Amino acid sequence: MNKSYDIIIIGGGHNGLVAAALLAKRNRKVLLIEKRDRLGGTATGDEFHPGYFTTGLLHDTSRINKKVIEELELEKFGLKVKPGRATIGLLSKKGDCLQLSDDEEKTATAISAFSAKDADAYRDYISFIASIRPFIKSLLEDFPPDLTAFGIEQVWPLLKKAWALRRLGKKTMLELLKVAPMSVADFLNEKFETEFIKAGIAAPALYGSFTGPWSSYTTLNLLVHECTASLQVAGGPQALIAALEKAARHHGAEILTNTTVDKIVLDASHKVSGVKTIQGELFSARLVISTCTPQITFFELLKPNQLTYTLEQSVRHYRARGTTAKVNLALNKEVSFNGISALEYYRTGNSFDEMERAFDPAKYGRFSEEPVLDIHVPTVSYSHLAPSGHSVVSVLVHYAPYHLKEGWNESTRKKLLDTVIQTLERYSPQLSSSIVSAQVLTPADLEAQYALTNGHIFHGEHAVDQLITRPFPSCAGYATPIEGLFICGSGSHPGGGITGLPGYLGALTVLKNRLT
């Protein structure tokens, strides 16, 4: 006899776990199915060399949402968080390392060593971020606007958002409306003069994107990051996943790992009736929530004749051009960058021109010879990830396109590794002499290992048209045109990164509409 559930969730990443825990807490009978042998998705760590571990493909937990933590009472399940962002080292080729801390005055004082003007500009910048933070957070933490109809039910939330924008005050409102469409280079060039400081502040706007610093609307991505990054999770992504799993199981969610969903089953009236695994098992449910990428959900888990032409075209034109690789290095010593060894996070960039030149090759199917690096040294606070006195250096590499002209193979993988090591040695001389082992995960590898379509780390680009109605208008509110099928992975509002909000808001949508 087939087992029956209220809701089946496909995918055990952090969004799937958030949805499972919340729905189970609200007394729904939930089954979560995960393809891999462990939970966590892009937030799970792996042993890439005996005794050396990473904290996950994505290492930034600063944007995990407080609502998720509080609603699921994750601190009761072992999660420890500290307010304020971790200090980040902005590296320059001249040997400088500016420590960008959560302390505004401390950071401004550090900046003053390079430019008194930039120190004052930083204070103004932080003040602007503080003034728009409530508005930006309200956009991201609330349900996306329903633009498919224009009754009072749909228009009223839009009017409330418009009023919230107006309440910023005329000066702040006009500033936000002016800068949001700008390129991040234009935005920060108006404020700062020191090149590597501008580049370092701007870097998160470009991560995982098919854009350079001169691309329009990249300022919007920066503002989203600045307004939502506010926490430090002790133990990193794995600690978050452990707490979510405990919460989900505590509330009664059933979890299956090493189980691959072959297809979402529809009944004769094209309504969801459950899922079938590749092992041939059938699980029944009136509702299925997929946290997979939109392409996998609609093109692999459903049959072509189950999609309307409009839906098929929407999925086909949803942009997810992966440009990020991951390089993990096991080192037999503790590492420092530009003489600083006490930090967990570092960024490179040096100037907007260099960042733009790093992006240019990706347009033509090549990876950058001077990549932009997002560097994580987890052994600073997680000593169990490497032997005593050793280090793990985990690097997100921008830009390395999924569609590499030469194709991704052992030769191109080695070329990328050599390029990354050469770039790192500008900031940490002789680093190569301490390398015990290295792992290179190209975008093609990320697709194979984490089921990321085209290797895109955020399930799709954070372009403005794919943020407001993410992933596309017919599925922007988590429900899909197929009755009983919902999506709440990183391809849904408000986007990728470790926030938990797609899973949280997707689950609330199910509950709000009393669908179970």
Side-chain angles (χ1 to χ4, degrees), residues 312-325:
E312 179 189 348
Q313 290 302 303
S314 294
V315 180
R316 202 170 297 283
H317 292 105
Y318 177 67
R319 299 188 305 284
R321 296 165 290 186
T323 59
T324 305

Side-chain angles (χ1 to χ4, degrees), residues 112-124:
S112 67
F114 301 92
S115 165
K117 176 186 174 182
D118 282 354
D120 290 336
Y122 185 76
R123 294 184 182 96
D124 291 340

